[in-house]
Structures are given as C-alpha cells and as structure tokens.
Amino acid sequence: MNLRILAAIGIIGWTVVSCAETKTPEPAAALSLTGTWKLAYSKMIENGDTTDTYPVKGQEMIKIFNGSHFTFFKHDVSKGSDSSTAVFGSGAGTYVLTGDKYEEHLQYCNARSWEDMHFTFHSVYSMIR
C-alpha cells in the first residue's frame, strides 16, 4: 500500500456517497461522519500537484465511522477470482474532525508498516453533506 492509496482512504471527506439513510441537512457545527460511506472519488494534492487517486478500475472501498473510530475495507469486485487483480486492504484507528480538519491515527492495518501512523487532511466534508 503506498502513501497515495492511504491518503485516498483518509480523504473520505473529499467526495463520498453515504450508504446511510438520507437525513435533513444539519447546521455545519452539528455534522457527523457517523455511518458507512462508499468512496466515490479522491485526489491527492502534494506540493501543488493534483493527482486523482480514486476510483481504481475493478475496486471498491468503504469506510465506517462511529463517534471516535474508523475502519476501512478495500477489495476487488471480481471477488479474488482473478489473481492478477485480487486486492484486499483494511485498517482501523481513531479520528478527530474539527471544522475542515480531519486527523486520523491508524492503529491497525493489513500493511503492518503503516500501523501507528498519523495523517492530517483538510476536507470539504461540510460542503457536501
């Protein structure tokens, strides 16, 4: 798993589609990530360069949030039947959302070298909910 893929996981606030029931819009201060989200699009902005990082052909990704923790799952849509495109990734940890600043601490990950890493993102979450 490279940094761009993990960053795409973390930038769930850029563009997501909620799998939860539709709710009446809330004031920005009361917004919550709680629920299950399917990643629809993500991009990485690094040193002024923008790279689209998702969607990846043949893959799906979801992220689940409660009040303090998240978990994510990524897999290939061929259900592993094609060994050249078989993919599975997962991880979990804690997060804090303050305004447009999203921070997460990855505690568990199938790519063990990523465990105990901290990531900070600025999202447009409050503008798309």
Side-chain angles (χ1 to χ4, degrees), residues 29-106:
L31 290 175
S32 167
L33 288 176
T34 300
T36 301
W37 300 79
K38 183 175 180 180
L39 183 61
Y41 177 80
S42 68
K43 64 182 172 180
M44 171 83 127
I45 303 171
E46 188 174 43
N47 299 324
D49 293 326
T50 301
T51 304
D52 292 336
T53 56
Y54 199 87
V56 174
K57 184 177 179 179
Q59 293 183 14
E60 293 179 334
M61 185 181 303
I62 64 168
K63 200 162 190 177
I64 303 168
F65 294 90
N66 69 18
S68 60
H69 288 76
F70 71 91
T71 187
F72 66 87
F73 302 95
K74 173 182 69 169
H75 75 125
D76 60 278
V77 295
S78 65
K79 300 183 180 184
S81 61
D82 179 356
S83 62
S84 66
T85 60
V87 150
F88 179 81
S90 65
T94 59
Y95 77 94
V96 175
L97 177 64
T98 308
D100 72 345
K101 185 177 179 185
Y102 173 81
E103 298 176 83
E104 70 183 29
H105 180 77
L106 187 60

